[in-house]
Amino acid sequence: DTAVSQTPKYLVTQMGNDKSIKCEQNLGHDTMYWYKQDSKKFLKIMFSYNNKELIINETVPNRFSPKSPDKAHLNLHINSLELGDSAVYFCASSTMMNTEAFFGQGTRLTVV
Amino acid sequence: KQEVTQIPAALSVPEGENLVLNCSFTDSAIYNLQWFRQDPGKGLTSLLLIQSSQREQTSGRLNASLDKSSGRSTLYIAASQPGDSATYLCAVRKETSGSRLTFGEGTQLTVNP
């Protein structure tokens, strides 16, 4: 069974569109994260939720809006996509006690 | 602000060699440190987690050490194999609950048959 799963794996879309990436974890963790990996392969935190509450919000454009319907899901919605949004987005989960973090397989977003 | 540096950026070795990957961090107030492996086009696979109170962790041919006071960690890979070829990432967590992982830029390892 996949611990942290993201869909879709690949997403190609035109500038200006709105898209969503879904993430689910079956580990019973209470904290979920979104990370962005840029073209230079550097991973950086975007958001973190604990039990559906936002606890980390980095300097991310307002066009990015995370939504957590329950503690097992953290979706990422992106409005008005721009070329610079092209990257690989990773979902991760752990606990508030900073236990081992597990990552999804990533979603490669390409904006054309 | 925590900064994590990994040296070398790339490493190429012949099969069978023992090797060491280095990770350093600027703020020693960490909760734990985690080593990951990333294969091309794939996600991150957790290799080892070291708590700040620990000095080392071992899993199979992998051994990770932590010197929190000097801000350093090493990942030792014994008897390297071509299947070990991947990018290895080091990440640290601050001493606050639910904190983020701060990543280094990774070491790209190639093990040649």
Side-chain angles (χ1 to χ4, degrees), chain A residues 21-77:
Chain A
I21 307 172
K22 295 186 177 181
C23 179
E24 175 182 7
Q25 55 92 6
N26 62 4
L27 298 166
H29 289 162
D30 58 9
T31 305
M32 296 184 72
Y33 309 81
W34 278 108
Y35 287 82
K36 179 179 180 180
Q37 188 172 43
D38 59 25
S39 57
K40 294 184 178 181
K41 309 297 184 186
F42 188 64
L43 273 153
K44 191 172 180 182
I45 185 76
M46 297 175 69
F47 300 103
S48 172
Y49 270 71
N50 172 254
N51 282 325
K52 303 191 297 178
E53 298 293 325
L54 180 68
I55 57 172
I56 296 175
N57 184 353
E58 283 296 284
T59 309
V60 177
N62 292 337
R63 299 181 294 103
F64 290 78
S65 54
K67 286 185 171 52
S68 182
D70 56 60
K71 71 176 187 177
H73 295 83
L74 181 62
N75 304 321
L76 183 64
H77 189 75

Side-chain angles (χ1 to χ4, degrees), chain B residues 13-33:
Chain B
V13 300
E15 183 176 4
E17 268 203 11
N18 302 325
L19 57 100
V20 174
L21 308 181
N22 297 291
C23 171
S24 61
F25 44 95
T26 54
D27 185 351
S28 62
I30 65 167
Y31 191 89
N32 56 36
L33 182 148

Side-chain angles (χ1 to χ4, degrees), chain B residues 33-97:
Chain B
L33 182 148
Q34 196 166 352
W35 282 93
F36 294 89
R37 167 187 174 138
Q38 185 174 24
D39 293 279
K42 299 290 179 67
L44 279 68
T45 300
S46 178
L47 297 174
L48 288 164
L49 173 72
I50 311 180
Q51 302 295 347
S52 61
S53 58
Q54 296 176 317
R55 297 285 292 181
E56 65 179 274
Q57 280 284 353
T58 298
S59 176
R61 294 182 294 109
L62 305 180
N63 177 277
S65 69
L66 174 63
D67 185 341
K68 181 182 169 183
S69 60
S70 67
R72 293 178 185 174
S73 176
T74 61
L75 180 66
Y76 175 82
I77 303 177
S80 59
Q81 302 171 358
D84 294 331
S85 299
T87 296
Y88 289 81
L89 296 160
C90 163
V92 298
R93 277 194 199 272
K94 287 175 60 176
E95 287 181 338
T96 51
S97 58

